[in-house]
Amino acid sequence: MSVSKMNRKNRCAVVDTIIKFFAFAGPRKKDLYKGIAWAFADAFFQGLQIAALYVVLKDIVFQSVTPATAWISFGLMLAGMAGTIAAKAASMIFQIQGSFAMCADHRIRMADRMRYMPMGYFNSNSLGRITATVTTTMEDIQDMASNVLCRIISGVVHGAVITLILTAMDFRIGMIALSGELIFLAANRQMQALFKKISPARMAAKTALVAAVLEYVQGMDVVRSVHQSAEARKTIDRAISDCQGQNAALELAFLPFFTIQTLVLKVTSLAMALAAVLFYLNSTMSLPLCLLIQVSAFIIFSQMETAGSVSALLRTIDLSLDQVQQIYQIPVMDETGCKITPDTMDIRAENLVFSYGGKRIIDDVGFEIPAGRTVAIVGPSGGGKTTLCNLIARFWDPDSGAVYLGGHNLTSYSLDSLMPHFSMVFQRVYLFNDTIGNNIGFGCPGAGPAAIRKAAEKACCHEFIKALPQGYDTLVGEGGATLSGGERQRISIARAIFKDAPVIILDEATANVDPENESLLRAAIGELTRDKTVIMIAHKLKTVRHADRIWVLDKGRIIEQGPHDRLMAQGGLYAEFIGIREKSAGWKI
């Protein structure tokens, strides 16, 4: 084992967490350092109050109280109290300032990083885990991390300062205080070791609870439609019960350590008071010092006691920091790309292979799509159609093989220079909880209302938008909940028209819509795809029969390709499917 590893192993968990936290704080640690510096000042000013008390007691005992004594004592006490108030306020201000700024920086950084992660990450990690990290986990760090660490540091510093003062006054009393503090720290270290073992289960239960709540809320329509509210409640009830149980178990496990820590400090205070009396009776300690210790023995460890109680939260902070770091450790797709402007919009693929969850989805696929042509992809559900489109748009990277745009491998592009060339319209449309106008102009905040209206007119949605009470300023609700499916679909097409990308990918954009909306959508898609390179997944013959080329994709391979008439003449799977499409529920074109 290397020396550095041995040092890390033997190093106190508290120190490890503090080092990790300040590394996490980045440039914001300057404010946090200032908060700790003011905590040091607070310990000094509290020491002044003890000094003021000693001055008064000394002169009272020797009956030498004078106005000067009173003023000196009053001055020291006033300086100590004023300094303590000011130091505490300054420390809290810098803690809050640093914590909120630090967490805002990390939330923005995580959001930026997610833009460049492969879509497979979001499919293999629950929405609850991501949501828990960005919200509750970051809130734990924001609300308690700096406060807890500053309390711990100030508690230790306060204890050290008081011990030094006591040692300067009487070496024996100082050693008693030091012995108690060392026993206190040993008990705290054992508590940290226990926390390290049992806190991951609490964190997992907390994350599972967020996931269960999200799933319950998002699936409410399905739950009600099948009349299974009671059954669906069982999952969320189990998650709540598990989280409650883990929290209770954690608190009960710490209770003995909290008791021991408090008992150690109280016994140490009692020992100091008794020792002072014995030393005075043996004529080895002055009466003023003995009285000072009697008065202050039970209050000088107050901050250390507070530090011990909040130190139980250190492992929660440590796990929270690790959970955020897990997002930063996910590989991004834009590590080596550069800004490229292709001369043409030709798309080509060679030997594409892609697997997901141990299953091969795309198996040695190659193709060419000249600029301005339309390709329709048909085939059975699960055949790889959507996956192939995701590879073409570089939502995922292939396991092997490559996709080229304008002769350049997609991995050669930075995502910021690649994505402007693609617009995608999905079967499942998502609109942001914003105005209709902002949803259409999403990605271009400076867009004027005239350009947004023009895109809406082309997408055949201007009329229904105009009829709304606030028109283009109408809020659509989360996910576009206040609009019908056809209206949401047309707004998504307007968004794609507004973007005006040269390559359009349509993933069953007209599926599951009523006939009236379908005719409007078809007109909107006609405007969207005019003079564009188009790749479409569809399930209706009239949608694909006029495509320049049709690919039949089955089990991850293109088994047939060509125009509609040629494929029908071949009498293969495509022709067979056209003949039985109304009977085959598993196939889609």
Side-chain angles (χ1 to χ4, degrees):
M1 183 182 294
S2 67
V3 174
S4 61
K5 288 183 178 179
M6 289 180 63
N7 289 339
R8 284 197 299 269
K9 183 177 179 181
N10 295 325
R11 195 165 57 197
C12 177
V14 175
V15 176
D16 281 338
T17 302
I18 291 173
I19 291 172
K20 186 186 293 184
F21 174 73
F22 283 108
F24 183 84
R28 305 297 182 177
K29 61 188 174 188
K30 293 179 180 178
D31 284 337
L32 300 174
Y33 285 152
K34 291 176 183 177
I36 292 172
W38 279 108
F40 274 75
D42 177 33
F44 169 76
F45 286 120
Q46 290 199 36
L48 283 183
Q49 296 175 54
I50 294 177
L53 185 61
Y54 180 72
V55 169
V56 171
L57 289 173
K58 179 172 66 66
D59 283 5
I60 288 176
V61 168
F62 293 112
Q63 299 181 354
S64 59
V65 178
T66 63
T69 300
W71 281 112
I72 292 172
S73 178
F74 176 75
L76 288 172
M77 186 65 71
L78 182 63
M81 292 177 62
T84 295
I85 293 170
K88 283 185 182 296
S91 180
M92 187 62 67
I93 288 170
F94 283 116
Q95 287 176 43
I96 293 172
Q97 211 167 264
S99 290
F100 279 80
M102 170 188 71
C103 289
D105 290 345
H106 277 283
R107 283 191 172 106
I108 293 170
R109 184 182 167 193
M110 282 190 286
D112 285 340
R113 189 173 182 84
M114 286 180 193
R115 292 170 52 208
Y116 302 108
M117 292 177 185
M119 291 300 295
Y121 169 78
F122 300 100
N123 289 337
S124 62
N125 292 268
S126 70
L127 179 61
R129 183 176 181 81
I130 299 171
T131 304
T133 300
V134 178
T135 55
T136 57
T137 300
M138 288 302 299
E139 283 172 8
D140 283 345
I141 297 172
Q142 173 182 284
D143 295 339
M144 71 178 179
S146 64
N147 185 35
V148 167
L149 292 174
C150 282
R151 281 175 179 267
I152 291 171
I153 293 171
S154 63
V156 173
V157 169
H158 184 266
V161 170
I162 295 299
T163 301
L164 287 173
I165 292 173
L166 292 174
T167 303
M169 292 179 173
D170 189 287
F171 179 79
R172 298 163 298 178
I173 296 296
M175 289 303 98
I176 294 173
L178 179 61
S179 299
E181 290 169 356
L182 291 176
I183 296 172
F184 170 88
L185 292 175
N188 186 266
R189 182 165 185 171
Q190 290 301 313
M191 182 178 71
Q192 296 298 327
L194 175 65
F195 202 176
K196 187 173 183 179
K197 292 180 181 178
I198 64 178
S199 57
R202 175 182 176 269
M203 181 67 75
K206 191 175 178 181
T207 300
L209 177 59
V210 175
V213 171
L214 283 171
E215 183 180 40
Y216 183 73
V217 172
Q218 291 177 336
M220 185 59 67
D221 53 347
V222 178
V223 170
R224 289 184 177 179
S225 69
V226 297
H227 195 58
Q228 290 293 319
S229 298
E231 188 66 27
R233 272 289 304 275
K234 290 181 181 179
T235 300
I236 194 170
D237 286 347
R238 281 195 300 269
I240 292 171
S241 178
D242 187 38
C243 193
Q244 175 190 359
Q246 292 294 341
N247 282 317
L250 195 69
E251 294 299 327
L252 290 173
F254 290 147
L255 187 58
F257 291 96
F258 290 145
T259 304
I260 290 171
Q261 288 180 164
T262 302
L263 186 62
V264 165
L265 293 180
K266 298 303 183 186
V267 169
T268 301
S269 297
L270 181 61
M272 289 167 57
L274 291 175
V277 172
L278 291 175
F279 295 151
Y280 169 70
L281 294 176
N282 292 333
S283 301
T284 58
M285 178 179 286
S286 66
L287 181 59
L289 181 55
C290 178
L291 292 174
L292 176 66
I293 293 172
Q294 305 308 308
V295 173
S296 60
F298 290 93
I299 61 173
I300 59 177
F301 294 125
S302 59
Q303 288 202 27
M304 181 167 278
E305 190 173 339
T306 300
S309 64
V310 300
S311 68
L313 298 171
L314 273 177
R315 187 60 187 165
T316 298
I317 296 169
D318 193 72
L319 289 173
S320 297
L321 295 173
D322 288 342
Q323 194 163 324
V324 174
Q325 290 298 334
Q326 287 175 8
I327 291 183
Y328 293 141
Q329 290 167 4
I330 300 297
V332 294
M333 301 174 66
D334 197 23
E335 295 178 316
T336 59
C338 56
K339 185 176 181 180
I340 297 174
T341 303
D343 296 326
T344 70
M345 289 295 114
D346 295 338
I347 300 173
R348 177 170 57 89
E350 295 177 351
N351 308 117
L352 279 183
V353 175
F354 179 78
S355 299
Y356 182 73
K359 179 182 178 182
R360 180 162 291 191
I361 309 298
I362 300 298
D363 188 8
D364 196 25
V365 169
F367 57 79
E368 290 187 9
I369 307 174
R373 300 295 180 86
T374 297
V375 171
I377 307 176
V378 303
S381 296
K385 301 183 298 297
T386 299
T387 300
L388 185 59
C389 289
N390 286 331
L391 291 172
I392 292 172
R394 209 193 168 194
F395 278 12
W396 293 322
D397 278 336
D399 299 335
S400 61
V403 180
Y404 299 87
L405 175 67
H408 301 277
N409 192 321
L410 295 190
T411 58
S412 299
Y413 290 82
S414 66
L415 287 183
D416 288 337
S417 68
L418 176 66
M419 294 316 298
H421 303 303
F422 291 92
S423 282
M424 297 189 72
V425 179
F426 302 95
Q427 178 182 359
R428 182 180 176 275
V429 175
Y430 188 88
L431 299 181
F432 296 96
N433 188 12
D434 203 339
T435 66
I436 290 177
N438 286 341
N439 268 283
I440 293 173
F442 181 73
C444 186
I452 290 173
R453 174 174 174 169
K454 185 177 180 181
E457 289 173 345
K458 289 183 178 181
C460 304
C461 56
H462 172 69
E463 292 303 320
F464 91 77
I465 294 173
K466 187 173 64 173
L468 295 172
Q470 283 81 40
Y472 286 86
D473 293 325
T474 301
L475 293 171
V476 300
E478 186 176 354
T482 61
L483 303 175
S484 70
E487 289 169 343
R488 290 197 299 269
Q489 194 69 271
R490 277 181 278 162
I491 288 175
S492 74
I493 293 173
R495 183 161 59 194
I497 290 173
F498 184 83
K499 184 179 180 181
D500 196 28
V503 180
I504 309 295
I505 298 178
L506 306 173
D507 188 351
E508 302 195 72
T510 62
N512 304 321
V513 296
D514 56 81
E516 179 184 356
N517 273 323
E518 184 179 352
S519 63
L520 294 171
L521 283 173
R522 202 172 301 284
I525 289 172
E527 285 293 333
L528 171 63
T529 59
R530 185 172 297 166
D531 302 321
K532 308 288 187 182
T533 301
V534 181
I535 304 163
M536 66 170 69
I537 302 171
H539 72 284
K540 297 181 180 179
L541 174 61
K542 57 186 177 182
T543 304
V544 300
R545 68 183 305 161
H546 298 298
D548 297 307
R549 186 169 293 268
I550 299 169
W551 297 343
V552 181
L553 196 66
D554 185 21
K555 297 179 181 178
R557 289 176 174 269
I558 298 176
I559 59 173
E560 295 179 13
Q561 59 178 307
H564 170 75
D565 292 339
R566 185 193 303 171
L567 293 177
M568 289 298 294
Q570 288 177 358
L573 288 180
Y574 179 81
E576 181 182 346
F577 173 66
I578 295 299
I580 62 171
R581 65 185 184 278
E582 294 182 355
K583 298 179 181 179
S584 180
W587 283 73
K588 294 180 180 180
I589 62 171

